[in-house]
mmCIF file of all heavy atoms in Angstrom:
data_model
loop_
_atom_site.group_PDB
_atom_site.id
_atom_site.type_symbol
_atom_site.label_atom_id
_atom_site.label_comp_id
_atom_site.label_asym_id
_atom_site.label_seq_id
_atom_site.Cartn_x
_atom_site.Cartn_y
_atom_site.Cartn_z
ATOM 1 N N VAL I 855 -15.015 -37.547 -23.052
ATOM 2 C CA VAL I 855 -13.596 -37.829 -23.295
ATOM 3 C C VAL I 855 -13.403 -39.271 -23.766
ATOM 4 O O VAL I 855 -12.693 -39.524 -24.742
ATOM 5 C CB VAL I 855 -12.763 -37.546 -22.018
ATOM 6 C CG1 VAL I 855 -11.329 -38.036 -22.164
ATOM 7 C CG2 VAL I 855 -12.793 -36.058 -21.688
ATOM 8 N N PHE I 856 -14.058 -40.228 -23.095
ATOM 9 C CA PHE I 856 -13.935 -41.630 -23.493
ATOM 10 C C PHE I 856 -14.481 -41.854 -24.906
ATOM 11 O O PHE I 856 -13.943 -42.674 -25.655
ATOM 12 C CB PHE I 856 -14.677 -42.535 -22.503
ATOM 13 C CG PHE I 856 -13.864 -42.955 -21.320
ATOM 14 C CD1 PHE I 856 -13.305 -42.033 -20.457
ATOM 15 C CD2 PHE I 856 -13.661 -44.304 -21.042
ATOM 16 C CE1 PHE I 856 -12.564 -42.415 -19.361
ATOM 17 C CE2 PHE I 856 -12.929 -44.708 -19.945
ATOM 18 C CZ PHE I 856 -12.365 -43.758 -19.097
ATOM 19 N N SER I 857 -15.546 -41.150 -25.257
ATOM 20 C CA SER I 857 -16.141 -41.321 -26.585
ATOM 21 C C SER I 857 -15.217 -40.805 -27.678
ATOM 22 O O SER I 857 -15.062 -41.453 -28.724
ATOM 23 C CB SER I 857 -17.496 -40.618 -26.660
ATOM 24 O OG SER I 857 -18.394 -41.198 -25.749
ATOM 25 N N ILE I 858 -14.610 -39.664 -27.452
ATOM 26 C CA ILE I 858 -13.644 -39.143 -28.426
ATOM 27 C C ILE I 858 -12.481 -40.116 -28.566
ATOM 28 O O ILE I 858 -12.059 -40.450 -29.686
ATOM 29 C CB ILE I 858 -13.151 -37.735 -28.023
ATOM 30 C CG1 ILE I 858 -14.277 -36.715 -28.237
ATOM 31 C CG2 ILE I 858 -11.901 -37.343 -28.810
ATOM 32 C CD1 ILE I 858 -13.949 -35.312 -27.780
ATOM 33 N N ALA I 859 -11.995 -40.604 -27.436
ATOM 34 C CA ALA I 859 -10.904 -41.588 -27.470
ATOM 35 C C ALA I 859 -11.347 -42.855 -28.202
ATOM 36 O O ALA I 859 -10.579 -43.431 -28.977
ATOM 37 C CB ALA I 859 -10.449 -41.920 -26.052
ATOM 38 N N GLY I 860 -12.594 -43.271 -27.981
ATOM 39 C CA GLY I 860 -13.113 -44.468 -28.641
ATOM 40 C C GLY I 860 -13.148 -44.331 -30.149
ATOM 41 O O GLY I 860 -12.798 -45.278 -30.874
ATOM 42 N N VAL I 861 -13.577 -43.177 -30.638
ATOM 43 C CA VAL I 861 -13.602 -42.944 -32.087
ATOM 44 C C VAL I 861 -12.180 -43.057 -32.643
ATOM 45 O O VAL I 861 -11.947 -43.730 -33.657
ATOM 46 C CB VAL I 861 -14.218 -41.565 -32.424
ATOM 47 C CG1 VAL I 861 -14.018 -41.222 -33.894
ATOM 48 C CG2 VAL I 861 -15.698 -41.542 -32.072
ATOM 49 N N LYS I 862 -11.240 -42.443 -31.967
ATOM 50 C CA LYS I 862 -9.841 -42.474 -32.423
ATOM 51 C C LYS I 862 -9.272 -43.892 -32.347
ATOM 52 O O LYS I 862 -8.609 -44.357 -33.272
ATOM 53 C CB LYS I 862 -8.981 -41.518 -31.584
ATOM 54 C CG LYS I 862 -9.372 -40.066 -31.731
ATOM 55 C CD LYS I 862 -9.035 -39.560 -33.108
ATOM 56 C CE LYS I 862 -9.250 -38.068 -33.203
ATOM 57 N NZ LYS I 862 -8.904 -37.547 -34.518
ATOM 58 N N VAL I 863 -9.529 -44.592 -31.242
ATOM 59 C CA VAL I 863 -9.053 -45.969 -31.079
ATOM 60 C C VAL I 863 -9.685 -46.870 -32.128
ATOM 61 O O VAL I 863 -9.005 -47.705 -32.736
ATOM 62 C CB VAL I 863 -9.348 -46.496 -29.647
ATOM 63 C CG1 VAL I 863 -9.166 -47.999 -29.554
ATOM 64 C CG2 VAL I 863 -8.475 -45.792 -28.625
ATOM 65 N N GLY I 864 -10.983 -46.719 -32.338
ATOM 66 C CA GLY I 864 -11.674 -47.537 -33.336
ATOM 67 C C GLY I 864 -11.089 -47.369 -34.713
ATOM 68 O O GLY I 864 -10.903 -48.341 -35.447
ATOM 69 N N ASN I 865 -10.790 -46.147 -35.070
ATOM 70 C CA ASN I 865 -10.222 -45.894 -36.382
ATOM 71 C C ASN I 865 -8.808 -46.453 -36.489
ATOM 72 O O ASN I 865 -8.414 -46.946 -37.536
ATOM 73 C CB ASN I 865 -10.238 -44.394 -36.678
ATOM 74 C CG ASN I 865 -9.931 -44.108 -38.121
ATOM 75 O OD1 ASN I 865 -8.854 -43.640 -38.445
ATOM 76 N ND2 ASN I 865 -10.891 -44.404 -38.982
ATOM 77 N N ALA I 866 -8.088 -46.446 -35.381
ATOM 78 C CA ALA I 866 -6.703 -46.913 -35.413
ATOM 79 C C ALA I 866 -6.570 -48.425 -35.230
ATOM 80 O O ALA I 866 -5.747 -49.064 -35.878
ATOM 81 C CB ALA I 866 -5.898 -46.193 -34.330
ATOM 82 N N PHE I 867 -7.379 -49.014 -34.340
ATOM 83 C CA PHE I 867 -7.160 -50.404 -33.958
ATOM 84 C C PHE I 867 -8.301 -51.360 -34.265
ATOM 85 O O PHE I 867 -8.164 -52.561 -34.068
ATOM 86 C CB PHE I 867 -6.854 -50.504 -32.460
ATOM 87 C CG PHE I 867 -5.630 -49.753 -32.052
ATOM 88 C CD1 PHE I 867 -5.739 -48.592 -31.321
ATOM 89 C CD2 PHE I 867 -4.376 -50.206 -32.419
ATOM 90 C CE1 PHE I 867 -4.611 -47.888 -30.945
ATOM 91 C CE2 PHE I 867 -3.247 -49.508 -32.042
ATOM 92 C CZ PHE I 867 -3.352 -48.346 -31.312
ATOM 93 N N GLY I 868 -9.448 -50.860 -34.650
ATOM 94 C CA GLY I 868 -10.563 -51.748 -34.952
ATOM 95 C C GLY I 868 -11.343 -52.159 -33.721
ATOM 96 O O GLY I 868 -11.295 -51.502 -32.685
ATOM 97 N N THR I 869 -12.053 -53.255 -33.825
ATOM 98 C CA THR I 869 -12.999 -53.656 -32.782
ATOM 99 C C THR I 869 -12.407 -54.545 -31.697
ATOM 100 O O THR I 869 -13.134 -55.009 -30.829
ATOM 101 C CB THR I 869 -14.194 -54.409 -33.415
ATOM 102 O OG1 THR I 869 -13.689 -55.548 -34.103
ATOM 103 C CG2 THR I 869 -14.973 -53.518 -34.354
ATOM 104 N N LYS I 870 -11.117 -54.767 -31.686
ATOM 105 C CA LYS I 870 -10.573 -55.720 -30.717
ATOM 106 C C LYS I 870 -10.719 -55.254 -29.270
ATOM 107 O O LYS I 870 -10.656 -56.069 -28.358
ATOM 108 C CB LYS I 870 -9.138 -56.093 -31.058
ATOM 109 C CG LYS I 870 -8.072 -55.140 -30.643
ATOM 110 C CD LYS I 870 -6.728 -55.698 -31.075
ATOM 111 C CE LYS I 870 -5.625 -55.192 -30.201
ATOM 112 N NZ LYS I 870 -4.327 -55.690 -30.596
ATOM 113 N N TYR I 871 -10.934 -53.967 -29.016
ATOM 114 C CA TYR I 871 -11.074 -53.470 -27.643
ATOM 115 C C TYR I 871 -12.522 -53.296 -27.198
ATOM 116 O O TYR I 871 -12.777 -53.024 -26.038
ATOM 117 C CB TYR I 871 -10.326 -52.145 -27.475
ATOM 118 C CG TYR I 871 -8.840 -52.303 -27.667
ATOM 119 C CD1 TYR I 871 -8.207 -51.795 -28.781
ATOM 120 C CD2 TYR I 871 -8.071 -52.991 -26.732
ATOM 121 C CE1 TYR I 871 -6.853 -51.954 -28.969
ATOM 122 C CE2 TYR I 871 -6.713 -53.161 -26.917
ATOM 123 C CZ TYR I 871 -6.108 -52.635 -28.033
ATOM 124 O OH TYR I 871 -4.769 -52.798 -28.221
ATOM 125 N N LYS I 872 -13.490 -53.453 -28.100
ATOM 126 C CA LYS I 872 -14.900 -53.226 -27.766
ATOM 127 C C LYS I 872 -15.355 -54.138 -26.639
ATOM 128 O O LYS I 872 -15.899 -53.681 -25.633
ATOM 129 C CB LYS I 872 -15.778 -53.429 -29.003
ATOM 130 C CG LYS I 872 -17.259 -53.282 -28.728
ATOM 131 C CD LYS I 872 -18.065 -53.578 -29.993
ATOM 132 C CE LYS I 872 -19.539 -53.401 -29.773
ATOM 133 N NZ LYS I 872 -20.140 -54.406 -28.908
ATOM 134 N N ALA I 873 -15.143 -55.428 -26.769
ATOM 135 C CA ALA I 873 -15.596 -56.386 -25.753
ATOM 136 C C ALA I 873 -14.866 -56.167 -24.432
ATOM 137 O O ALA I 873 -15.471 -56.260 -23.356
ATOM 138 C CB ALA I 873 -15.389 -57.817 -26.241
ATOM 139 N N LYS I 874 -13.593 -55.840 -24.497
ATOM 140 C CA LYS I 874 -12.821 -55.603 -23.267
ATOM 141 C C LYS I 874 -13.338 -54.370 -22.523
ATOM 142 O O LYS I 874 -13.403 -54.358 -21.293
ATOM 143 C CB LYS I 874 -11.339 -55.461 -23.590
ATOM 144 C CG LYS I 874 -10.729 -56.776 -24.045
ATOM 145 C CD LYS I 874 -9.290 -56.612 -24.444
ATOM 146 C CE LYS I 874 -8.768 -57.959 -24.954
ATOM 147 N NZ LYS I 874 -7.501 -57.884 -25.578
ATOM 148 N N ALA I 875 -13.722 -53.343 -23.259
ATOM 149 C CA ALA I 875 -14.260 -52.135 -22.633
ATOM 150 C C ALA I 875 -15.589 -52.434 -21.945
ATOM 151 O O ALA I 875 -15.825 -52.003 -20.815
ATOM 152 C CB ALA I 875 -14.435 -51.028 -23.673
ATOM 153 N N GLU I 876 -16.466 -53.186 -22.612
ATOM 154 C CA GLU I 876 -17.752 -53.544 -22.009
ATOM 155 C C GLU I 876 -17.557 -54.438 -20.795
ATOM 156 O O GLU I 876 -18.231 -54.269 -19.777
ATOM 157 C CB GLU I 876 -18.654 -54.240 -23.027
ATOM 158 C CG GLU I 876 -19.220 -53.292 -24.048
ATOM 159 C CD GLU I 876 -20.149 -53.985 -25.039
ATOM 160 O OE1 GLU I 876 -19.961 -55.174 -25.338
ATOM 161 O OE2 GLU I 876 -21.071 -53.299 -25.520
ATOM 162 N N LEU I 877 -16.640 -55.376 -20.877
ATOM 163 C CA LEU I 877 -16.353 -56.266 -19.748
ATOM 164 C C LEU I 877 -15.843 -55.467 -18.548
ATOM 165 O O LEU I 877 -16.316 -55.654 -17.424
ATOM 166 C CB LEU I 877 -15.329 -57.333 -20.171
ATOM 167 C CG LEU I 877 -14.936 -58.347 -19.111
ATOM 168 C CD1 LEU I 877 -16.139 -59.202 -18.717
ATOM 169 C CD2 LEU I 877 -13.805 -59.233 -19.621
ATOM 170 N N ALA I 878 -14.907 -54.563 -18.787
ATOM 171 C CA ALA I 878 -14.370 -53.737 -17.700
ATOM 172 C C ALA I 878 -15.474 -52.878 -17.075
ATOM 173 O O ALA I 878 -15.569 -52.774 -15.842
ATOM 174 C CB ALA I 878 -13.242 -52.846 -18.226
ATOM 175 N N GLY I 879 -16.302 -52.278 -17.893
ATOM 176 C CA GLY I 879 -17.406 -51.454 -17.378
ATOM 177 C C GLY I 879 -18.359 -52.263 -16.523
ATOM 178 O O GLY I 879 -18.792 -51.821 -15.456
ATOM 179 N N GLY I 880 -18.699 -53.469 -16.965
ATOM 180 C CA GLY I 880 -19.595 -54.336 -16.198
ATOM 181 C C GLY I 880 -19.016 -54.711 -14.852
ATOM 182 O O GLY I 880 -19.694 -54.660 -13.813
ATOM 183 N N ILE I 881 -17.744 -55.075 -14.840
ATOM 184 C CA ILE I 881 -17.085 -55.440 -13.578
ATOM 185 C C ILE I 881 -17.048 -54.256 -12.622
ATOM 186 O O ILE I 881 -17.307 -54.398 -11.418
ATOM 187 C CB ILE I 881 -15.675 -56.002 -13.859
ATOM 188 C CG1 ILE I 881 -15.791 -57.364 -14.563
ATOM 189 C CG2 ILE I 881 -14.858 -56.128 -12.575
ATOM 190 C CD1 ILE I 881 -14.480 -57.879 -15.137
ATOM 191 N N ILE I 882 -16.744 -53.086 -13.132
ATOM 192 C CA ILE I 882 -16.694 -51.878 -12.295
ATOM 193 C C ILE I 882 -18.051 -51.617 -11.655
ATOM 194 O O ILE I 882 -18.146 -51.337 -10.449
ATOM 195 C CB ILE I 882 -16.225 -50.654 -13.121
ATOM 196 C CG1 ILE I 882 -14.731 -50.781 -13.437
ATOM 197 C CG2 ILE I 882 -16.519 -49.344 -12.387
ATOM 198 C CD1 ILE I 882 -14.237 -49.778 -14.466
ATOM 199 N N LEU I 883 -19.126 -51.696 -12.427
ATOM 200 C CA LEU I 883 -20.458 -51.417 -11.882
ATOM 201 C C LEU I 883 -20.865 -52.449 -10.833
ATOM 202 O O LEU I 883 -21.451 -52.093 -9.802
ATOM 203 C CB LEU I 883 -21.489 -51.339 -13.005
ATOM 204 C CG LEU I 883 -21.324 -50.142 -13.954
ATOM 205 C CD1 LEU I 883 -22.368 -50.190 -15.049
ATOM 206 C CD2 LEU I 883 -21.388 -48.826 -13.208
ATOM 207 N N ILE I 884 -20.556 -53.707 -11.053
ATOM 208 C CA ILE I 884 -20.868 -54.744 -10.059
ATOM 209 C C ILE I 884 -20.089 -54.483 -8.769
ATOM 210 O O ILE I 884 -20.651 -54.555 -7.666
ATOM 211 C CB ILE I 884 -20.573 -56.150 -10.620
ATOM 212 C CG1 ILE I 884 -21.591 -56.497 -11.710
ATOM 213 C CG2 ILE I 884 -20.598 -57.204 -9.510
ATOM 214 C CD1 ILE I 884 -21.254 -57.754 -12.498
#
């Protein structure tokens, strides 16, 4: 589900959310 959303978000908004998604994932795992 997140991957499908990512493809759609990427096409609509570009790369501005890539780093934020990785940062959030890292914090969650820690």
Side-chain angles (χ1 to χ4, degrees):
V855 171
F856 273 59
S857 297
I858 288 176
V861 170
K862 296 291 188 179
V863 167
N865 192 253
F867 299 108
T869 59
K870 81 180 206 181
Y871 296 109
K872 177 183 182 290
K874 291 176 183 169
E876 286 182 330
L877 181 64
I881 291 168
I882 288 169
L883 293 178
I884 290 170

